[in-house]
Amino acid sequence: MSDDCLFCKIVSGDVPAEVVAENEHTVAFRDISPQAASHVLVVPREHHPDVASLAAARPEVAAALLVDVAKVARAEGSSSFRLVFNTGPDAGQTVFHCHGHVLSGEPLGWPPR
Ligand code: AMP
Ligand code: ZN
């Protein structure tokens, strides 16, 4: 838990979010500013600043997160989805608690801008 981290506060319930799934390792909730018909964020309960540091420190939690991403995508009703981990400010990361964006529910353009 990092005191000034928005997603730690969502994990603890101190900040409300529309949670769609949760288990021992992860919490999945709807993005407040959806960029596709379905846009869910999947985060580890533990605080790690980005996916690279999560994978290095806790590979088993990173693996669990990927399993949960697939479950979330299925539950959102689409066999196609895109998983994005913005990592670092130049890649557009704005919240420094690891999160996977799970985008689905409509045709998604490629390549991303
Ligand atoms: P990133 O830019 O990859 O760090 O993604 C951060 C994401 O968090 C953005 O897509 C925001 O729309 C989303 N976000 C910010 N605040 C909240 C919130 N309170 N609840 C849900 N999603 C949020
Ligand atoms: Zn955090």
Side-chain angles (χ1 to χ4, degrees):
M1 171 89 179
S2 172
D3 282 348
D4 57 353
C5 172
L6 173 62
F7 288 176
C8 280
K9 289 179 182 155
I10 288 178
V11 167
S12 67
D14 291 334
V15 168
E18 190 180 341
V19 173
V20 298
E22 59 183 319
N23 63 29
E24 171 192 3
H25 290 301
T26 67
V27 178
F29 52 92
R30 295 200 187 282
D31 196 292
I32 205 167
S33 174
Q35 301 301 311
S38 170
H39 187 170
V40 174
L41 302 176
V42 184
V43 311
R45 288 187 181 277
E46 295 176 7
H47 181 87
H48 298 273
D50 56 41
V51 70
S53 45
L54 172 68
R58 295 278 277 142
E60 65 278 32
V61 176
L65 187 145
L66 288 179
V67 171
D68 294 338
V69 161
K71 286 182 184 164
V72 163
R74 266 201 306 277
E76 290 295 291
S78 191
S79 58
S80 296
F81 67 91
R82 181 170 297 154
L83 172 60
V84 174
F85 289 97
N86 294 327
T87 305
D90 286 351
Q93 188 176 5
T94 58
V95 177
F96 291 86
H97 177 131
C98 175
H99 53 281
H101 296 257
V102 186
L103 302 151
S104 65
E106 63 179 309
L108 301 168
W110 186 262
R113 280 179 298 135

